[in-house]
Amino acid sequence: MQVNSRDFFLFLSKNKTLNRAAQSWGGGIASGKIVGGIDFPSSVKFIKELNEEGLSVTVDHLGEFVTSESVAKERTEECIQTIETIAAQKINSQVSLKLTSLGLDINDQLVYENMTKILDTAEKHQIMVTIDMEDEQRCQKTLDIFKDFKQSYNYISTVLQAYLYRTAKDIDDLNEYHPSLRLVKGAYKESADVAFPEKSDVDDNFKKIINMHLLNGNFTAIATHDDEIIEYTKRLVDKHNIPKNQFEFQMLYGMRTTTQKELVKDGYNMRVYIPYGQDWYGYFMRRLAERPANLAFVLKGMTKK
């Protein structure tokens, strides 16, 4: 049933008619509930509300798979402006981005030029930029780009996905860079040739890579809504006396808000992922595909006044 639910939500995420309809409705139905707003300025008030509750944030402009050089440059300038606004308003926020939005599928020179501009700004303001991981076919190229930039910039991190067979090896390969990594289960539809098809195997691998990266002494962001993974992490850091400033939990905006606040109350670092932009519908459906139980969290959050 879970496989069918996953496929169903992924199918809906790619439905162009529904995507267009969602954009015509505007972001009001989702703003302040599962996304910040239709642009970064309209999201700032929601970010500040989270900061006041002790929650850190990372923001991400929705949209990927850009095929136009001009659009990729627009996305780059928008990201730079977001970093400048975060610094100017002293917001406790980082930035996440997808390389496909900066021209990864167009040409290498373009994506390197755009990333350099963004990282120059981030370095100036000491604001972390996380390169989101996309589907498996773009994984190696994403990691190669990350390694190149990590040699010159401090404020850069990336993401590894527990459902891929390759990820434990990637942890080993990246260790020499002492990287800050966000570890996730993974949300794209992949074949059994490259990814664990069973949830139990994904969960086991998730625990394995959390253990590996933390014991390597590197900063680890554990991005999950899964209580079992959260409790596993708590036991692991207690057992090995890992300081709380070496890791953080991350969750999606509008989901498990009570748990987020409880983690902060218990002294853990908690970061909330807040996407913004017009393309909220596809994002929403992919999150439901990743974990259909998220539907309950979203409906609860969206019906609150």
Side-chain angles (χ1 to χ4, degrees):
M1 177 64 183
Q2 184 164 344
V3 173
N4 291 336
S5 297
R6 178 184 174 86
D7 290 346
F8 175 67
F9 286 122
L10 285 173
F11 168 78
L12 291 179
S13 75
K14 297 175 182 178
N15 187 292
K16 293 181 180 180
T17 300
L18 291 175
N19 268 281
R20 285 194 297 269
Q23 290 189 24
S24 70
W25 299 333
I29 189 174
S31 296
K33 299 178 179 68
I34 59 172
V35 300
I38 59 172
D39 54 25
F40 184 69
S42 64
S43 306
V44 168
K45 64 178 180 179
F46 302 115
I47 297 169
K48 289 184 174 180
E49 288 173 359
L50 293 172
N51 286 170
E52 289 170 0
E53 295 176 334
L55 296 156
S56 302
V57 167
T58 187
V59 297
D60 191 352
H61 186 194
L62 293 170
E64 53 195 299
F65 306 123
V66 169
T67 57
S68 162
E69 185 171 331
S70 62
V71 173
K73 289 181 177 179
E74 288 174 6
R75 294 288 174 84
T76 299
E77 292 305 315
E78 196 279 336
C79 188
I80 290 170
Q81 185 57 52
T82 294
I83 295 171
E84 296 280 8
T85 302
I86 289 170
Q89 298 202 26
K90 295 180 170 57
I91 299 168
N92 182 359
S93 179
Q94 299 178 356
V95 173
S96 297
L97 56 81
K98 291 180 174 60
L99 291 182
T100 51
S101 72
L102 305 182
L104 183 67
D105 295 344
I106 301 173
N107 65 69
D108 289 353
Q109 182 180 353
L110 178 63
V111 75
Y112 272 89
E113 287 176 355
N114 289 337
M115 273 299 295
T116 298
K117 292 177 183 178
I118 291 170
L119 290 175
D120 283 344
T121 306
E123 204 79 4
K124 179 178 69 174
H125 295 297
Q126 300 184 354
I127 292 173
M128 182 66 76
V129 173
T130 298
I131 300 174
D132 283 336
M133 188 56 69
E134 301 180 66
D135 53 358
E136 191 274 340
Q137 67 176 344
R138 295 175 176 85
C139 181
Q140 188 59 54
K141 194 167 187 180
T142 298
L143 293 180
D144 289 343
I145 291 171
F146 169 74
K147 291 175 184 177
D148 286 344
F149 280 111
K150 186 68 174 112
Q151 297 177 62
S152 304
Y153 295 92
N154 293 316
Y155 290 89
I156 180 173
S157 64
T158 192
V159 179
L160 292 181
Q161 300 160 315
Y163 69 170
L164 296 180
Y165 300 137
R166 60 174 291 166
T167 300
K169 184 178 183 301
D170 288 332
I171 292 277
D172 281 335
D173 291 344
L174 289 170
N175 189 43
E176 65 178 286
Y177 296 88
H178 304 292
S180 169
L181 295 177
R182 177 195 299 156
L183 304 181
V184 304
K185 287 189 179 181
Y188 291 87
K189 183 175 175 58
E190 305 285 3
S191 78
D193 292 335
V194 298
F196 294 103
E198 299 296 330
K199 179 183 182 299
S200 60
D201 293 328
V202 176
D203 289 347
D204 288 344
N205 200 45
F206 201 177
K207 294 173 184 177
K208 177 181 178 180
I209 63 175
I210 290 170
N211 181 86
M212 290 175 66
H213 198 54
L214 280 172
L215 294 188
N216 282 342
N218 299 314
F219 187 84
T220 308
I222 301 97
T224 183
H225 296 162
D226 192 324
D227 288 327
E228 182 182 347
I229 299 297
I230 293 170
E231 292 306 314
Y232 169 81
T233 303
K234 289 179 179 180
R235 293 193 300 269
L236 179 67
V237 298
D238 287 345
K239 178 181 178 181
H240 296 282
N241 296 312
I242 295 171
K244 287 184 176 177
N245 63 2
Q246 192 192 319
F247 70 98
E248 68 185 19
F249 294 106
Q250 295 189 2
M251 293 186 188
L252 302 174
Y253 183 49
M255 302 185 193
R256 303 218 66 181
T257 54
T258 299
T259 301
Q260 293 175 18
K261 294 174 185 178
E262 288 173 350
L263 286 167
V264 171
K265 184 178 179 181
D266 291 340
Y268 294 99
N269 294 312
M270 176 68 230
R271 187 174 302 278
V272 181
Y273 175 92
I274 299 188
Y276 65 92
Q278 293 279 10
D279 296 332
W280 63 271
Y281 170 81
Y283 159 80
F284 180 30
M285 290 299 140
R286 287 193 296 274
R287 296 295 74 78
L288 297 183
E290 183 178 12
R291 189 167 187 260
N294 284 338
L295 180 59
F297 300 134
V298 171
L299 291 176
K300 183 178 180 181
M302 294 183 75
T303 54
K304 285 184 177 179
K305 293 183 178 180

